[in-house]
Amino acid sequence: MNNDLRIDTVVASGGKIECIFTGVDERRTIDSGPVRILKLIDYDNDGWLDIVAVSSSLRVWRNIGREGFVETTAELGLKETGTIASLDAADFDGDGDSDLLLGMEGGGLRLLRNDGGNANHQLKVRLFGNRSNASGLGVKLETQTGGLRTIRTVQQLPVEIGTGKYSQIETFTVRWFDLAVPSVDLKVERANVVIAELILPTGSCPYLYVWDGTKHRFVTDILGASPIGLPVAEGHYIEADSDEIVWIGNESNFKPLNGAYQTQITEELREVLYLDEAKLMVVDHPPDTEVHSTDKLVPGKPFPPSGLMTLGARKPLLAARTLEALMSRKR
């Protein structure tokens, strides 16, 4: 809602609409009355998501950025629309802006054509998923150009993204569930842009699971410091540190099954595991202390020795805030 590329939350409750911004101590509250339907639609294609709500009638608040929201219901001529049962938005007439389709209570449809929103540009995107779902539902799209940044979550196709007066998108990124497509330049046109998910060979470190008394629990990935054939530069490969000590747990979350302790090492993606030996180590240490491995991924030989260290007097983190949140509080 504030175009900082973080997903915000808009809630309607108790006769108010509240916009909760992620990562900053800031909220916007609108006196709306009871709300039955709530939609976020960029009706003027300026790149900022506006709020459309249905109670006894249709109401619209335009998002004007740092200044908040301004109601434009009367300005848009939406005072009398009848009793609405459902609401959808899309460019039904193909003129480059998002129209409203109302399902009326008692039956029938009513199309509210958007005349004027196409004074700004609109990018239409269709996705074709290969590893993700076929329509890319839930995938996030990011655009950046000039001073405008937007993020949209795919809920239907095509995705209609207002870009204001910008006719050229400097960077457009599709964050598929498995990977992000490298940012590309796009010419904003009213025709659909179709983006297919790349099919790339992917790999990972092996995963370690243990039995915790009720289920197999994921512990960590392993052998990250011992890949074979991982390039760090053209013609140069990372050296492999073949020893690794991994903390599994204690008596509370690592329990025997039928009299034996059970671990599982899995190959989740396209990796091939080469393992000469695996064994359990039991460490007796003073109460109120923790045991940690000294292993780390450090390119080049000699590798640091693989060992253990005991830490005590732990001081838990009290709080964590982003720099942006701290600066917002100072303002």
Side-chain angles (χ1 to χ4, degrees):
M1 299 299 290
N2 59 358
N3 284 349
D4 65 352
L5 301 185
R6 290 180 290 195
I7 300 298
D8 304 312
T9 303
V10 182
V11 178
S13 178
K16 297 181 183 297
I17 296 174
E18 190 164 24
C19 184
I20 305 167
F21 298 105
T22 299
V24 295
D25 295 331
E26 182 183 357
R27 297 189 177 196
R28 298 281 186 179
T29 302
I30 299 172
D31 292 324
S32 61
V35 172
R36 295 185 292 108
I37 302 172
L38 186 64
K39 294 280 188 179
L40 304 177
I41 303 164
D42 183 10
Y43 75 85
D44 54 359
N45 282 344
D46 64 352
W48 297 79
L49 285 173
D50 309 303
I51 297 175
V52 180
V54 175
S55 51
S56 57
S57 61
L58 185 67
R59 298 180 68 181
V60 178
W61 289 268
R62 184 176 177 229
N63 185 348
I64 55 175
R66 290 187 176 274
E67 303 303 317
F69 299 88
V70 174
E71 184 167 5
T72 54
T73 305
E75 176 184 330
L76 296 174
L78 299 175
K79 279 292 187 180
E80 301 297 332
T81 55
T83 304
I84 302 169
S86 64
L87 169 67
D88 281 293
D91 184 10
F92 291 100
D93 55 5
D95 66 348
D97 50 32
S98 300
D99 310 300
L100 296 181
L101 182 64
L102 310 180
M104 308 306 296
E105 189 171 290
L109 299 174
R110 183 177 179 184
L111 176 65
L112 300 182
R113 177 173 172 172
N114 185 345
D115 290 322
N118 55 11
N120 290 322
H121 296 286
Q122 185 184 78
L123 175 67
K124 290 184 174 66
V125 181
R126 292 183 181 272
L127 301 182
F128 185 85
N130 289 300
R131 295 177 60 87
S132 305
N133 64 78
S135 298
L137 297 178
V139 168
K140 291 179 173 53
L141 311 178
E142 295 180 10
T143 69
Q144 296 191 53
T145 187
L148 179 65
R149 303 188 300 174
T150 68
I151 183 169
R152 300 288 184 266
T153 301
V154 178
Q155 300 176 355
Q156 63 183 32
L157 297 179
V159 183
E160 298 173 354
I161 305 173
T163 63
K165 299 301 182 182
Y166 297 104
S167 60
Q168 183 80 27
I169 299 297
E170 295 172 359
T171 61
F172 182 84
T173 304
V174 182
R175 299 202 174 276
W176 299 98
F177 297 127
D178 188 52
L179 51 83
V181 171
S183 297
V184 296
D185 293 336
L186 282 180
K187 182 70 174 178
V188 178
E189 299 174 349
R190 292 178 182 174
N192 289 332
V193 175
V194 180
I195 297 180
E197 184 177 15
L198 298 178
I199 302 178
L200 298 174
T202 56
S204 172
C205 299
Y207 286 1
L208 174 64
Y209 298 83
V210 300
W211 181 257
D212 66 1
T214 58
K215 64 183 182 302
H216 283 96
R217 171 179 61 87
F218 171 73
V219 178
T220 183
D221 57 352
I222 61 174
L223 304 177
S226 58
I228 297 177
L230 176 63
V232 292
E234 186 174 354
H236 296 277
Y237 299 89
I238 193 170
E239 298 284 350
D241 184 1
S242 58
D243 296 323
E244 181 177 12
I245 300 176
V246 175
W247 182 84
I248 290 180
N250 52 35
E251 69 279 0
S252 67
N253 58 6
F254 185 34
K255 298 181 179 181
L257 176 64
N258 299 324
Y261 289 95
Q262 185 175 109
T263 64
Q264 289 187 357
I265 298 176
T266 63
E267 299 167 330
E268 302 284 338
L269 297 174
R270 297 170 63 96
E271 68 277 8
V272 177
L273 174 62
Y274 296 89
L275 188 63
D276 296 319
E277 181 185 33
K279 60 183 179 182
L280 291 178
M281 299 173 59
V282 178
V283 181
D284 187 10
H285 58 94
D288 301 323
T289 63
E290 298 177 351
V291 178
H292 294 272
S293 170
T294 61
D295 287 325
K296 62 182 68 175
L297 176 58
V298 180
K301 292 182 178 180
F303 299 111
S306 183
L308 298 172
M309 59 182 175
T310 304
L311 302 177
R314 182 178 67 169
K315 295 182 179 179
L317 182 69
L318 296 180
R321 296 185 180 90
T322 63
L323 177 61
E324 186 175 353
L326 293 174
M327 296 300 293
S328 176
R329 294 183 65 181
K330 289 181 179 180
R331 289 196 296 269

